[in-house]
Amino acid sequence: MSKSIFSKIICCCLILSVVQFAQAQKGKFDFSEEKNVYNQIADVPVLTKDGTQKLSVLYSRSPLIVALIFTRCTGICSPLLLNLSEQISHLHTDPKENFKVLVISFDPRDQFEDMARMAKQYARENDPNWIFAVTPQISELTSSLAFNPVWDEDRQQLDHEALLSGINTDGYVTKNLIGLRDQQAIYSLIKSINNEFILSYPLPGNNNFLSCFSYDPSTGKKSWSWGMFLLVLPAIIAAGIVTILVNQKKTLHHN
Amino acid sequence: MINLSLKRVTSVWIIAILVVFVITAIFGITMRFNQGGDIELSPVTFFSLMTAHGVTMVGIWSVAGMMAVNYLMARYVKVSTAVNVFALVLTVIGLVMLWTSTFVGYFHAGWTFLYPLPFFVAWESWATPLFLYSIAIFGIGWTVWTVAMLMQIYKKYSLAQSFAWQHFKRGYLVETPPFILITTVSLIGILICLITAVILLVLLFAEYYSNGTFTNDALLIKNLTYFFGHTIINEALYLGVATLYELFPEVSGRPKFKTTWYVALAWNCTLVFVLTAFFHHLYMDFVQPVGLQLVGQFASYFASLPSAAVTVFSIVILVYKNPIKWSLTNTLFFIGVIGWIIGGFGAVIDATISNNFVLHNTLWVPAHFHTYNAMGNVLFSLAFFYWVANEFAGTKVVPRSEKLRIGLLLIGGFGFVLMFYIAGAYSIPRRYSVYPDELALGRNLASYGGWFATIYVIAILLFLGEIVNKCLKVFSPRSSAAA
């Protein structure tokens, strides 16, 4: 009897292990917001309406939200800037939380005039909190932000992520946001570049399939994950061992 | 059946544990004097000492409890001396590896070796795997020993009898001695946390040898670490309580404790609650669900209440207005219960979420665990050592320094932990190698604590001399001839 219970426990463990393995293969996350955090942005020269200056001059005055776009973009650049502009206009930030938005092109074809035209399109040409700029050292800038646009010959476009990087007054990347994000995410980015503590928890990647909890960013749903099973497993194994030990006595008596 | 080989291996255990305890206590005193500014250590030396002190103390007092119950179990069931020797050898090998990793390789990630700290190598690169292998060696030895002891219990008792479930009904035929009940509950708890340690080590080794293809979840590893660490130290204390139930009435000249329904219920509850109390170590981990934090708080209350309440009630009933033959053995047990209760009360205060916001990672934490270890579990084991050494020597001569030893132990022990409590109440942080001027109070209290701990160690040395001398008698030709 005990033997059969033990066999059932072992079978359950094996089935759960297989299901867990299958689950691990199913979830292929590739979020890179954690990549490059706490690295320093390259101190490249930037051309703004105030002339050429080092990037460090800008971020040392106030922390920056860096939006990487290009003016000929037919994809995500425009929605990214519109969303950022809209979210910021609705924010009620603490007066201590100061910041500027640096919109900088990563397309070598862009001239400052292109960026000035873009500023006008978004009605930000006279906004002191928005800086539109170009740099002659694009690759240094993009590589320091781990931002890797890829040239698509067919579309004549640069394929890229919709990235917002938060830079604090020491020039460190404190937080990255990928995609069009809600007000709460933008607010936490602003808090982070002002060196305020932000709660964060990295999402499990391909090489991390034993987490305690999982989170589906598309639905916002949080759930228990297979790692939690490992907290129960010792008790199950111990119960199995005790079952064998108790059974051993019966076997001895039987013999 | 207690035979000569069991006596001899028990003697070796006792001598080894006491010698290692004194050395490891000196590590702790050195740390307190460094925090007090009396001596100057490099931060690496300080944290290497802290790592060695923590792991060694947890280890030796866990095996001290196992060794004591293994010896006393021989009164009820047959025990294996070979497995006992096997555990002793692996413990010594593990200890050599541990101290090599900390003092030669300068591994200093603390006794909790919290992930991902062991992989941020700030020491010799070989020290991380050596440290983890030392824990694995301890784990193998103790797991085999635990299973062997449980095997012997289940050769005589059924599952229900081992948990004293028949005591919930009237008219039972077989009585489960309290010693067997508490030993079973504690050994199963120890087995569960040793299996947890195996899972923990497998995950850490998997990451270490995977070259980046596998990474662990920090929250999972923290849960596993405290499941193992918190639980084993509590179960070790319960093994000490098992020896108390067996020996206290005997040496006091009173009838043996009986298992009643409430004793059975209390220890069955303890098994469940002690396994879930560790969640209180993760109150500051904001990603842990609130439900688990509440489980941690309430399990901490329920784990300590039944066993402590029943034990204190039993001791008070036994002592109150009854003629007691007081000796060093039952005095040590009695003080040990006081230390356990004070330390447990400090633990419950800290395990309350609203208090933990203030006390987390302050010296309140070492205050409570040093109280129920140094003034609780250590005294339970010391009482057993002293009793068994007298059994080996065949003498019951009352030493002249009896009152001096107890006096030094009380002044040194409670003075030492009081400095921790005061510092904790003033929010002095723990795990600081030196305290800055803003925390000057912590510096002064650390220095006083170091001196009190020195008094405590002097008391232990007085015990050590006599106990070692008596334990060595089992190796004399006369003992062999008598056997």
Side-chain angles (χ1 to χ4, degrees), chain B residues 221-409:
Chain B
I221 296 292
K222 190 170 180 183
N223 270 298
L224 288 170
T225 304
Y226 281 108
F227 189 176
F228 156 63
H230 174 88
T231 313
I232 198 164
I233 202 72
N234 277 267
E235 300 289 3
L237 190 134
Y238 295 149
L239 291 176
V241 177
T243 62
L244 176 149
Y245 270 80
E246 182 68 11
L247 293 178
F248 191 88
E250 185 177 316
V251 296
S252 304
R254 303 291 305 156
K256 279 199 160 218
F257 285 130
K258 298 265 182 202
T259 300
T260 53
W261 68 267
Y262 57 85
V263 170
L265 180 67
W267 285 98
N268 277 269
C269 289
T270 298
L271 173 64
V272 177
F273 291 124
V274 81
L275 293 174
T276 45
F278 75 91
F279 287 124
H280 65 222
H281 284 273
L282 288 100
Y283 288 157
M284 295 298 135
D285 293 78
F286 55 89
V287 284
Q288 187 93 329
V290 177
L292 292 183
Q293 312 287 32
L294 293 173
V295 168
Q297 175 169 313
F298 290 104
S300 304
Y301 296 165
F302 297 138
S304 50
L305 270 175
S307 56
V310 165
T311 306
V312 170
F313 177 72
S314 305
I315 296 283
V316 169
I317 291 292
L318 190 115
V319 171
Y320 187 66
K321 286 188 178 175
N322 281 322
I324 296 290
K325 285 194 286 179
W326 284 105
S327 65
L328 264 180
T329 302
N330 53 12
T331 307
L332 286 169
F333 274 130
F334 196 80
I335 300 169
V337 171
I338 295 169
W340 174 30
I341 299 305
I342 296 172
F345 196 67
V348 166
I349 290 173
D350 191 27
T352 304
I353 294 171
S354 54
N355 298 337
N356 194 266
F357 279 109
V358 181
L359 297 172
H360 190 88
N361 265 347
T362 67
L363 285 171
W364 189 272
V365 183
H368 82 255
F369 68 65
H370 277 95
T371 313
Y372 63 64
N373 282 315
M375 294 307 289
N377 194 16
V378 171
L379 301 196
F380 292 154
S381 291
L382 202 60
F384 169 77
F385 295 172
Y386 190 76
W387 170 83
V388 85
N390 280 322
E391 292 286 307
F392 293 163
T395 57
K396 300 262 165 63
V397 180
V398 179
R400 276 179 294 177
S401 60
E402 193 179 29
K403 285 181 181 163
L404 173 71
R405 289 183 210 187
I406 294 294
L408 290 175
L409 210 57

Side-chain angles (χ1 to χ4, degrees), chain B residues 112-154:
Chain B
T112 50
F113 51 102
L114 264 187
Y115 176 82
L117 213 48
F119 300 128
F120 281 88
V121 178
W123 38 77
E124 299 290 343
S125 56
W126 50 263
T128 294
L130 186 66
F131 176 85
L132 295 176
Y133 278 117
S134 73
I135 305 290
I137 294 288
F138 287 138
I140 292 167
W142 303 346
T143 306
V144 171
W145 199 14
T146 306
V147 171
M149 281 195 267
L150 283 170
M151 186 189 285
Q152 296 308 326
I153 289 174
Y154 285 117

Side-chain angles (χ1 to χ4, degrees), chain A residues 201 207 210 213 227 234 248-249, chain B residues 151 154 196 213 215 217 220 289:
Chain A
Y201 188 57
N207 58 353
L210 283 173
F213 309 103
Q248 150 226 240
K249 179 192 164 190
Chain B
M151 186 189 285
Y154 285 117
T196 309
T213 54
T215 53
D217 180 75
L220 172 64

Side-chain angles (χ1 to χ4, degrees), chain A residues 154-188:
Chain A
D154 297 337
R155 292 168 52 234
Q156 290 290 298
Q157 284 284 304
L158 285 153
D159 194 6
H160 66 100
E161 287 166 320
L163 176 72
L164 296 175
S165 277
I167 312 294
N168 71 4
T169 50
D170 295 318
Y172 287 96
V173 178
T174 60
K175 192 170 174 64
N176 291 312
L177 293 181
I178 291 174
L180 306 185
R181 305 298 288 271
D182 61 11
Q183 203 170 322
Q184 197 184 357
I186 302 289
Y187 186 52
S188 62

